[in-house]
Amino acid sequence: KQWYQRRVAITAGRPLTHRAKELHSHLFCLPCYDTKEISVCAACKKPIEGRAVSAIDKKWHPEHFVCAHCEKPFAGERFYENKGMAYCEPHYKKLFGDPCFYCCQSTHNAAEVKF
């Protein structure tokens, strides 16, 4: 805590408190931290500082981008989406049927697919 009290956020000149946030090994007061373009993991809600996965209009820590059913990480493998959730192929097929070869949507809803 003494370290926080001696440091000052460079961008705003505000003294740092115990509520200071760390990003890329630098401390920021809350107003400055909130202005940073920080990606937040959709799963754990913590900042993403290293590698990230962009999928389903969200960002994820690679280890947190997992199948919604079995929670196995995709680790670069193909995934299938249904209603904003990602699934591995076996669980997608089990829950929603075979995906269309062209658009990857469930063939159960084939009448709803528009081209």
Side-chain angles (χ1 to χ4, degrees):
K1 295 207 180 228
Q2 291 176 354
W3 187 73
Y4 280 107
Q5 293 169 350
R6 284 190 249 135
R7 298 286 301 225
V8 174
I10 295 169
T11 52
R14 293 181 180 96
L16 295 179
T17 67
H18 67 282
R19 296 179 61 207
K21 298 281 188 170
E22 186 174 346
L23 177 66
H24 304 295
S25 301
H26 299 286
L27 290 173
F28 293 89
C29 62
L30 292 180
C32 290
Y33 184 82
D34 290 342
T35 66
K36 300 296 177 198
E37 295 283 330
I38 301 168
S39 296
V40 176
C41 178
C44 71
K45 310 297 185 223
K46 293 184 179 176
I48 301 171
E49 295 187 30
R51 292 181 31 225
V53 173
S54 295
I56 315 173
D57 296 324
K58 298 174 188 168
K59 301 247 185 208
W60 315 77
H61 288 111
E63 64 273 17
H64 294 159
F65 185 54
V66 299
C67 173
H69 189 75
C70 68
E71 297 186 357
K72 178 183 173 191
F74 293 111
E77 298 294 321
R78 187 172 188 164
F79 70 91
Y80 297 84
E81 186 264 343
N82 187 288
K83 297 181 182 174
M85 305 293 284
Y87 297 89
C88 62
E89 186 173 11
H91 287 117
Y92 184 90
K93 286 181 177 182
K94 179 180 177 184
L95 297 167
F96 309 109
D98 288 326
C100 171
F101 177 78
Y102 183 73
C103 69
C104 295
Q105 297 295 315
S106 171
T107 53
H108 285 322
N109 300 327
E112 299 175 17
V113 176
K114 296 178 183 176
F115 293 97

